[in-house]
Amino acid sequence: MAESVASILESDAKGETAEIYADIRKVLGTSVVNLIWRNLATMPGALPWTWSTVRPLYLGAAPLHAEAVRRGIALPEWPDFSADTLLAAGIDESDQGIIRNVLDSYQYTNALALVVLSALLAHYEPRPADAVTPAVTAPKPSGTRIPELPPMDALDPEVAALVEELNSFGEDAEPQLIASMYRHLAYWPSYLALLRTMLAPLQRDGRLNTLTLSTRALGHAHGAVLASHLKPSTPPDTLKGALASCRLFVEHPIARMTGLCALIRRATPQ
Protein backbone atom coordinates (compact mmCIF):
# COMPACT_ATOMS: atom_id res chain seq x y z
CA MET A 1 0.00 0.00 0.00
CA ALA A 2 1.48 3.33 -1.03
CA GLU A 3 0.54 6.70 0.38
CA SER A 4 -2.45 7.96 -1.57
CA VAL A 5 -1.68 11.65 -1.22
CA ALA A 6 0.95 13.64 -3.03
CA SER A 7 3.68 15.25 -0.96
CA ILE A 8 6.86 17.28 -1.29
CA LEU A 9 9.68 15.62 0.60
CA GLU A 10 11.81 17.72 2.90
CA SER A 11 14.83 16.88 0.77
CA ASP A 12 13.03 18.20 -2.35
CA ALA A 13 11.64 21.38 -0.80
CA LYS A 14 12.86 24.66 -2.25
CA GLY A 15 12.24 28.38 -1.75
CA GLU A 16 9.21 29.32 0.35
CA THR A 17 8.30 25.67 0.95
CA ALA A 18 11.75 24.93 2.39
CA GLU A 19 11.52 28.04 4.58
CA ILE A 20 8.13 27.00 5.93
CA TYR A 21 9.35 23.46 6.59
CA ALA A 22 12.25 24.93 8.57
CA ASP A 23 9.86 27.12 10.56
CA ILE A 24 7.58 24.13 11.27
CA ARG A 25 10.53 22.19 12.65
CA LYS A 26 11.58 25.19 14.75
CA VAL A 27 8.13 25.98 16.15
CA LEU A 28 7.28 22.34 16.87
CA GLY A 29 10.75 21.52 18.16
CA THR A 30 10.89 18.43 15.96
CA SER A 31 13.36 17.13 13.40
CA VAL A 32 10.73 16.01 10.87
CA VAL A 33 7.86 17.66 8.97
CA ASN A 34 4.73 15.54 9.12
CA LEU A 35 2.93 14.36 6.01
CA ILE A 36 -0.05 16.71 6.38
CA TRP A 37 2.23 19.72 5.79
CA ARG A 38 4.07 17.99 2.96
CA ASN A 39 0.73 17.21 1.33
CA LEU A 40 -0.51 20.81 1.67
CA ALA A 41 2.72 21.91 -0.03
CA THR A 42 1.49 20.31 -3.27
CA MET A 43 -1.54 22.64 -3.44
CA PRO A 44 -0.82 26.18 -4.70
CA GLY A 45 -0.93 28.60 -1.78
CA ALA A 46 -2.27 26.04 0.72
CA LEU A 47 0.86 25.49 2.82
CA PRO A 48 1.76 29.16 3.43
CA TRP A 49 -1.86 30.09 4.14
CA THR A 50 -2.57 27.15 6.46
CA TRP A 51 0.69 27.49 8.36
CA SER A 52 0.38 31.27 8.78
CA THR A 53 -3.20 30.77 10.01
CA VAL A 54 -2.48 28.13 12.65
CA ARG A 55 1.07 29.09 13.64
CA PRO A 56 -0.17 31.51 16.36
CA LEU A 57 -2.07 28.61 17.97
CA TYR A 58 1.13 26.58 18.29
CA LEU A 59 2.78 29.57 19.98
CA GLY A 60 -0.32 30.32 22.07
CA ALA A 61 -3.03 28.16 23.61
CA ALA A 62 -2.70 24.97 21.53
CA PRO A 63 -0.03 23.26 23.71
CA LEU A 64 -2.33 23.46 26.77
CA HIS A 65 -5.25 22.00 24.82
CA ALA A 66 -3.04 19.29 23.32
CA GLU A 67 -1.89 18.33 26.81
CA ALA A 68 -5.52 18.16 27.95
CA VAL A 69 -6.14 15.72 25.09
CA ARG A 70 -3.15 13.58 26.12
CA ARG A 71 -4.39 13.45 29.70
CA GLY A 72 -8.01 12.91 28.70
CA ILE A 73 -7.55 9.93 26.38
CA ALA A 74 -9.36 6.89 27.82
CA LEU A 75 -6.78 4.14 27.24
CA PRO A 76 -7.86 0.51 27.48
CA GLU A 77 -6.23 -1.47 30.28
CA TRP A 78 -3.64 -3.88 28.88
CA PRO A 79 -0.33 -5.38 30.07
CA ASP A 80 2.87 -3.43 29.38
CA PHE A 81 6.13 -4.78 27.94
CA SER A 82 8.83 -5.64 30.44
CA ALA A 83 12.40 -4.48 29.89
CA ASP A 84 13.43 -8.14 29.64
CA THR A 85 10.89 -8.71 26.87
CA LEU A 86 12.52 -6.04 24.73
CA LEU A 87 16.04 -7.29 25.50
CA ALA A 88 15.00 -10.86 24.64
CA ALA A 89 13.63 -9.53 21.34
CA GLY A 90 17.09 -8.14 20.54
CA ILE A 91 16.24 -4.51 21.33
CA ASP A 92 19.08 -3.26 23.51
CA GLU A 93 18.96 -0.28 25.87
CA SER A 94 20.35 2.09 23.24
CA ASP A 95 17.66 1.12 20.74
CA GLN A 96 15.01 1.31 23.46
CA GLY A 97 16.06 4.91 24.03
CA ILE A 98 15.66 5.75 20.34
CA ILE A 99 12.25 4.05 20.25
CA ARG A 100 11.14 6.12 23.23
CA ASN A 101 12.33 9.26 21.43
CA VAL A 102 10.30 8.32 18.35
CA LEU A 103 7.19 7.66 20.42
CA ASP A 104 7.63 10.85 22.47
CA SER A 105 8.05 12.92 19.30
CA TYR A 106 4.82 11.59 17.81
CA GLN A 107 2.95 11.83 21.11
CA TYR A 108 3.89 15.50 21.28
CA THR A 109 3.23 16.51 17.67
CA ASN A 110 0.13 14.37 16.99
CA ALA A 111 -1.93 15.84 19.83
CA LEU A 112 -0.91 19.34 18.74
CA ALA A 113 -1.84 18.70 15.12
CA LEU A 114 -5.14 17.19 16.26
CA VAL A 115 -6.30 20.28 18.17
CA VAL A 116 -4.82 22.85 15.79
CA LEU A 117 -6.22 21.38 12.57
CA SER A 118 -9.51 20.61 14.33
CA ALA A 119 -9.65 24.34 15.15
CA LEU A 120 -9.20 25.22 11.47
CA LEU A 121 -11.99 22.84 10.50
CA ALA A 122 -14.24 24.16 13.28
CA HIS A 123 -13.72 27.70 12.00
CA TYR A 124 -14.96 26.85 8.50
CA GLU A 125 -17.25 23.92 9.36
CA PRO A 126 -18.67 24.68 12.85
CA ARG A 127 -20.70 21.99 14.61
CA PRO A 128 -21.63 21.23 18.24
CA ALA A 129 -18.85 20.14 20.61
CA ASP A 130 -18.51 19.07 24.22
CA ALA A 131 -17.34 21.64 26.74
CA VAL A 132 -13.66 21.20 27.60
CA THR A 133 -10.90 23.15 29.36
CA PRO A 134 -7.16 23.32 28.64
CA ALA A 135 -4.51 21.87 30.90
CA VAL A 136 -2.77 24.21 33.35
CA THR A 137 0.71 23.31 32.14
CA ALA A 138 2.12 21.65 29.05
CA PRO A 139 5.45 20.00 28.23
CA LYS A 140 7.99 21.67 25.98
CA PRO A 141 9.22 19.91 22.83
CA SER A 142 12.31 17.85 23.52
CA GLY A 143 14.08 18.85 20.31
CA THR A 144 15.57 15.34 20.13
CA ARG A 145 16.37 14.19 16.62
CA ILE A 146 14.82 10.93 15.46
CA PRO A 147 15.94 8.70 12.58
CA GLU A 148 15.02 9.52 8.99
CA LEU A 149 11.69 8.13 7.83
CA PRO A 150 12.32 5.01 5.70
CA PRO A 151 10.30 4.76 2.48
CA MET A 152 7.90 1.84 2.30
CA ASP A 153 9.66 0.36 -0.75
CA ALA A 154 12.91 0.19 1.24
CA LEU A 155 11.39 -2.18 3.82
CA ASP A 156 11.60 -5.95 3.60
CA PRO A 157 8.27 -7.31 2.29
CA GLU A 158 7.31 -8.93 5.57
CA VAL A 159 8.09 -5.75 7.52
CA ALA A 160 6.10 -3.63 5.04
CA ALA A 161 3.17 -6.05 5.42
CA LEU A 162 3.40 -5.74 9.21
CA VAL A 163 3.39 -1.93 8.96
CA GLU A 164 0.30 -2.10 6.74
CA GLU A 165 -1.49 -4.43 9.15
CA LEU A 166 -0.71 -2.23 12.15
CA ASN A 167 -1.85 0.77 10.12
CA SER A 168 -5.34 -0.77 9.84
CA PHE A 169 -5.74 -1.11 13.60
CA GLY A 170 -8.12 1.42 15.12
CA GLU A 171 -9.24 2.64 11.68
CA ASP A 172 -13.00 2.85 11.03
CA ALA A 173 -12.61 3.45 7.29
CA GLU A 174 -10.43 2.00 4.58
CA PRO A 175 -6.90 3.22 5.42
CA GLN A 176 -5.71 5.72 2.82
CA LEU A 177 -2.51 6.82 4.55
CA ILE A 178 0.26 4.91 6.28
CA ALA A 179 1.01 6.39 9.69
CA SER A 180 4.60 7.60 9.71
CA MET A 181 5.16 6.35 13.25
CA TYR A 182 5.02 2.70 12.23
CA ARG A 183 7.46 3.36 9.40
CA HIS A 184 9.83 5.04 11.86
CA LEU A 185 9.57 1.99 14.12
CA ALA A 186 10.30 -0.34 11.17
CA TYR A 187 14.01 -0.06 12.05
CA TRP A 188 13.11 -2.57 14.79
CA PRO A 189 10.94 -5.29 13.20
CA SER A 190 10.86 -7.30 16.42
CA TYR A 191 9.33 -4.30 18.21
CA LEU A 192 6.66 -4.04 15.51
CA ALA A 193 5.99 -7.76 16.00
CA LEU A 194 5.52 -7.21 19.74
CA LEU A 195 3.16 -4.31 19.01
CA ARG A 196 1.12 -6.50 16.69
CA THR A 197 0.85 -9.19 19.39
CA MET A 198 -0.22 -6.58 21.96
CA LEU A 199 -2.71 -4.72 19.76
CA ALA A 200 -4.37 -7.57 17.83
CA PRO A 201 -6.74 -8.61 20.67
CA LEU A 202 -7.71 -4.96 21.28
CA GLN A 203 -8.39 -4.55 17.57
CA ARG A 204 -10.43 -7.76 17.45
CA ASP A 205 -12.77 -6.73 20.28
CA GLY A 206 -13.25 -3.18 18.97
CA ARG A 207 -11.42 -1.31 21.71
CA LEU A 208 -9.00 0.36 19.30
CA ASN A 209 -11.86 1.73 17.21
CA THR A 210 -13.45 3.04 20.40
CA LEU A 211 -10.13 4.67 21.26
CA THR A 212 -10.02 6.42 17.86
CA LEU A 213 -13.59 7.67 18.16
CA SER A 214 -13.08 9.07 21.65
CA THR A 215 -9.79 10.74 20.68
CA ARG A 216 -11.39 12.23 17.57
CA ALA A 217 -14.18 13.70 19.74
CA LEU A 218 -11.63 15.12 22.19
CA GLY A 219 -9.73 16.77 19.35
CA HIS A 220 -12.91 18.27 17.94
CA ALA A 221 -13.98 19.65 21.32
CA HIS A 222 -10.63 21.32 21.99
CA GLY A 223 -10.42 22.53 18.40
CA ALA A 224 -13.82 24.19 18.73
CA VAL A 225 -12.48 26.21 21.67
CA LEU A 226 -9.33 27.16 19.78
CA ALA A 227 -11.25 28.16 16.64
CA SER A 228 -12.14 31.52 18.19
CA HIS A 229 -8.42 32.38 18.32
CA LEU A 230 -7.98 32.10 14.55
CA LYS A 231 -7.68 35.15 12.33
CA PRO A 232 -7.22 33.72 8.83
CA SER A 233 -6.24 35.92 5.93
CA THR A 234 -7.98 35.61 2.56
CA PRO A 235 -7.75 31.91 1.72
CA PRO A 236 -6.24 30.58 -1.51
CA ASP A 237 -8.26 29.09 -4.33
CA THR A 238 -7.18 25.70 -2.98
CA LEU A 239 -9.09 26.19 0.31
CA LYS A 240 -11.55 23.38 -0.42
CA GLY A 241 -8.73 20.93 -1.10
CA ALA A 242 -6.74 22.10 1.93
CA LEU A 243 -9.72 21.61 4.25
CA ALA A 244 -10.43 18.20 2.72
CA SER A 245 -6.82 17.19 3.39
CA CYS A 246 -6.98 18.47 6.97
CA ARG A 247 -10.25 16.59 7.51
CA LEU A 248 -8.79 13.35 6.16
CA PHE A 249 -5.73 13.59 8.38
CA VAL A 250 -7.53 14.78 11.53
CA GLU A 251 -10.33 12.22 11.44
CA HIS A 252 -8.15 9.27 10.51
CA PRO A 253 -4.36 8.99 10.94
CA ILE A 254 -3.92 11.87 13.41
CA ALA A 255 -6.84 10.97 15.70
CA ARG A 256 -6.03 7.26 15.42
CA MET A 257 -2.34 7.63 16.14
CA THR A 258 -2.81 10.16 18.95
CA GLY A 259 -4.63 7.43 20.86
CA LEU A 260 -2.52 4.50 19.73
CA CYS A 261 0.79 6.26 20.37
CA ALA A 262 -0.32 7.03 23.92
CA LEU A 263 -1.20 3.36 24.44
CA ILE A 264 2.07 2.12 22.91
CA ARG A 265 4.14 4.63 24.88
CA ARG A 266 2.50 3.53 28.14
CA ALA A 267 3.35 -0.08 27.32
CA THR A 268 7.03 0.67 26.60
CA PRO A 269 9.40 0.75 29.62
CA GLN A 270 10.87 4.11 30.64
Side-chain angles (χ1 to χ4, degrees), residues 2-8 35-36 38-39 42-43 176-177 245 248-249:
E3 288 171 352
S4 61
V5 296
S7 72
I8 295 180
L35 181 59
I36 174 62
R38 294 189 278 111
N39 173 237
T42 66
M43 307 175 197
Q176 297 185 49
L177 302 161
S245 179
L248 172 65
F249 277 86

Side-chain angles (χ1 to χ4, degrees), residues 55-87:
R55 188 181 189 273
L57 297 184
Y58 280 104
L59 298 173
L64 295 175
H65 284 273
E67 180 62 8
V69 167
R70 296 184 199 103
R71 296 179 185 181
I73 296 172
L75 296 177
E77 289 301 322
W78 204 248
D80 300 341
F81 300 132
S82 69
D84 287 340
T85 298
L86 297 183
L87 290 172

Side-chain angles (χ1 to χ4, degrees), residues 162-184:
L162 188 53
V163 167
E164 290 181 8
E165 182 183 14
L166 287 167
N167 190 64
S168 71
F169 286 3
E171 179 56 79
D172 58 1
E174 185 67 26
Q176 297 185 49
L177 302 161
I178 294 179
S180 298
M181 190 186 82
Y182 292 130
R183 287 167 57 190
H184 258 124

Side-chain angles (χ1 to χ4, degrees), residues 3-249:
E3 288 171 352
S4 61
V5 296
S7 72
I8 295 180
L9 297 173
E10 293 179 68
S11 57
D12 294 336
K14 296 178 176 61
E16 183 184 36
T17 298
E19 291 173 4
I20 294 173
Y21 282 4
D23 193 46
I24 290 171
R25 289 191 292 266
K26 178 182 176 182
V27 170
L28 271 64
T30 181
S31 61
V32 296
V33 174
N34 285 350
L35 181 59
I36 174 62
W37 304 112
R38 294 189 278 111
N39 173 237
L40 289 172
T42 66
M43 307 175 197
L47 176 64
W49 177 81
T50 306
W51 178 243
S52 66
T53 299
V54 302
R55 188 181 189 273
L57 297 184
Y58 280 104
L59 298 173
L64 295 175
H65 284 273
E67 180 62 8
V69 167
R70 296 184 199 103
R71 296 179 185 181
I73 296 172
L75 296 177
E77 289 301 322
W78 204 248
D80 300 341
F81 300 132
S82 69
D84 287 340
T85 298
L86 297 183
L87 290 172
I91 305 168
D92 63 23
E93 291 181 358
S94 174
D95 283 336
Q96 289 180 40
I98 301 172
I99 288 171
R100 286 193 294 270
N101 288 341
V102 170
L103 295 174
D104 288 345
S105 176
Y106 278 100
Q107 193 167 24
Y108 182 79
T109 59
N110 277 340
L112 271 171
L114 180 65
V115 300
V116 165
L117 297 178
S118 291
L120 187 66
L121 292 171
H123 178 86
Y124 285 95
E125 304 167 357
R127 56 189 173 89
D130 295 333
V132 291
T133 55
V136 176
T137 61
K140 301 293 184 185
S142 69
T144 304
R145 292 192 64 82
I146 59 176
E148 285 189 20
L149 184 65
M152 284 293 289
D153 58 11
L155 304 179
D156 290 338
E158 64 275 11
V159 176
L162 188 53
V163 167
E164 290 181 8
E165 182 183 14
L166 287 167
N167 190 64
S168 71
F169 286 3
E171 179 56 79
D172 58 1
E174 185 67 26
Q176 297 185 49
L177 302 161
I178 294 179
S180 298
M181 190 186 82
Y182 292 130
R183 287 167 57 190
H184 258 124
L185 295 173
Y187 288 106
W188 304 276
S190 59
Y191 183 73
L192 288 181
L194 290 173
L195 291 184
R196 195 268 178 201
T197 301
M198 178 184 85
L199 296 175
L202 296 171
Q203 170 66 13
R204 191 163 50 245
D205 67 14
R207 277 186 280 178
L208 295 187
N209 278 39
T210 299
L211 176 61
T212 297
L213 288 171
S214 62
T215 305
R216 190 184 292 161
L218 264 179
H220 170 64
H222 285 276
V225 175
L226 285 169
S228 63
H229 297 239
L230 292 175
K231 296 180 175 59
S233 60
T234 302
D237 293 339
T238 51
L239 175 64
K240 184 177 179 180
L243 292 178
S245 179
C246 289
R247 192 182 311 110
L248 172 65
F249 277 86

